């Protein structure tokens, strides 16, 4: 993809993804910004096809990411979380630099959700969804244990729902499910543990 021209920018401190992307965009010299992410694998014709989809009306397009599994456990996890249809994402995107500056930077201070927040803002300026966009493949759940994946999922969505105005429906669904479960248990605890025996301690 880079034809050998790859410049790595190193920082002593660890940065969140939004802060890292903002630095990369400031350093970029071209008129377009193309995004990939860790554990993403593009097709060899990804950039060529993306450039071919750019037109005078649509000068930018969002990428599409498809989650890849290697065994039945990973398949079940993807089915229960991301799903198998490619999702519109920042990785795989080709964005004109002037549109990016119109929309504004990624939020630099949060660990996740800054990309979804940016997409929501970008769609106020331009329709950048294109069903013909080339999918890239995400391999980030390969060989992960169940607890690792649950932790990753929880950290991602809790960060999103607490720090940016996205994924609030999921938060409310989890909250109401928890409340209903607590109420059901509290009104039926005697039945569950002592079969309605009122003398049982």
């Amino acid at each position: 993809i880079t034809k050998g021209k790859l410049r790595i920018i190193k920082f002593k401190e660890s940065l969140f993804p939004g802060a890292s992307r903002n630095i990369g965009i400031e350093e970029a010299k071209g008129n377009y910004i193309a995004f990939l992410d860790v554990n993403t694998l593009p097709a060899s014709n990804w950039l060529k096809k993306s450039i071919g989809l750019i037109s005078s009306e649509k000068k930018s397009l969002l990428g599409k990411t498809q989650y890849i599994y290697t065994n039945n456990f990973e398949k079940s996890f993807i089915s229960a979380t991301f799903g198998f249809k490619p999702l519109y994402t920042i990785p795989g995107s080709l964005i004109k630099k002037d549109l990016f500056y119109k929309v504004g930077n990624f939020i630099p201070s949060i660990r996740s959700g800054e990309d979804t927040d940016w997409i929501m803002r970008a769609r106020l300026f331009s329709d950048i969804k294109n069903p013909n966009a080339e999918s890239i493949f995400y391999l980030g759940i390969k060989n992960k244990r169940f607890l690792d994946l649950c932790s990753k999922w929880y950290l991602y969505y809790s960060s999103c729902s607490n720090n940016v105005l996205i994924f609030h429906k999921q938060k409310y669904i989890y909250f109401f499910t928890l409340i209903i479960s607590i109420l059901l248990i509290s009104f039926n605890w005697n039945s569950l543990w002592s079969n309605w025996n009122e003398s049982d301690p």
Side-chain angles (χ1 to χ4, degrees), residues 68-97:
I68 300 301
Y69 60 86
T70 57
N71 57 47
N72 284 333
F73 166 68
E74 292 169 9
K75 182 179 179 181
S76 300
F77 184 81
I78 292 169
S79 178
T81 52
F82 306 105
F84 295 109
K85 286 172 66 176
L87 303 174
Y88 286 104
T89 56
I90 289 295
S93 297
L94 185 64
I95 309 288
K96 200 155 192 239
K97 214 169 182 183

Side-chain angles (χ1 to χ4, degrees), residues 107-118:
I107 301 171
S109 57
I110 57 175
R111 75 178 305 278
S112 59
E114 81 297 330
D115 49 353
T116 307
D117 169 76
W118 191 90

Side-chain angles (χ1 to χ4, degrees), residues 19-182:
S20 299
R21 289 195 190 105
N22 292 339
I23 291 165
I25 289 157
E26 283 299 321
E27 293 291 322
K29 306 299 181 192
N31 292 325
Y32 286 90
I33 310 293
F35 292 93
L36 287 177
D37 207 342
V38 69
N39 295 316
T40 56
L41 184 66
S44 58
N45 65 342
W46 160 59
L47 274 179
K48 185 177 180 182
K49 186 169 182 180
S50 297
I51 290 165
L53 292 171
I54 298 288
S55 65
S56 56
E57 296 85 30
K58 289 193 172 188
K59 296 182 179 178
S60 301
L61 78 155
L62 284 175
K64 287 163 80 175
T65 299
Q66 192 167 351
Y67 293 79
I68 300 301
Y69 60 86
T70 57
N71 57 47
N72 284 333
F73 166 68
E74 292 169 9
K75 182 179 179 181
S76 300
F77 184 81
I78 292 169
S79 178
T81 52
F82 306 105
F84 295 109
K85 286 172 66 176
L87 303 174
Y88 286 104
T89 56
I90 289 295
S93 297
L94 185 64
I95 309 288
K96 200 155 192 239
K97 214 169 182 183
D98 60 0
L99 173 65
F100 181 84
Y101 286 129
K102 206 182 287 183
V103 176
N105 282 352
F106 294 101
I107 301 171
S109 57
I110 57 175
R111 75 178 305 278
S112 59
E114 81 297 330
D115 49 353
T116 307
D117 169 76
W118 191 90
I119 290 169
M120 288 169 68
R121 286 185 279 132
R123 293 186 67 197
L124 299 173
F125 293 88
S126 175
D127 180 16
I128 54 177
K129 284 188 173 182
N130 189 322
N132 299 315
E134 183 76 20
S135 290
I136 62 170
F137 302 101
Y138 180 74
L139 306 169
I141 67 168
K142 187 178 179 183
N143 299 326
K144 291 277 196 305
R145 295 176 305 158
F146 178 72
L147 288 177
D148 295 334
L149 291 171
C150 287
S151 172
K152 180 186 178 81
W153 179 258
Y154 172 77
L155 288 171
Y156 179 81
Y157 278 92
S158 61
S159 177
C160 291
S161 64
N162 290 329
N163 297 304
V164 289
L165 297 175
I166 55 175
F167 298 123
H168 281 288
K169 280 184 186 173
Q170 285 91 329
K171 186 165 74 168
Y172 294 139
I173 288 168
Y174 287 133
F175 176 74
F176 286 121
T177 303
L178 179 65
I179 291 296
I180 289 166
S181 300
I182 289 170

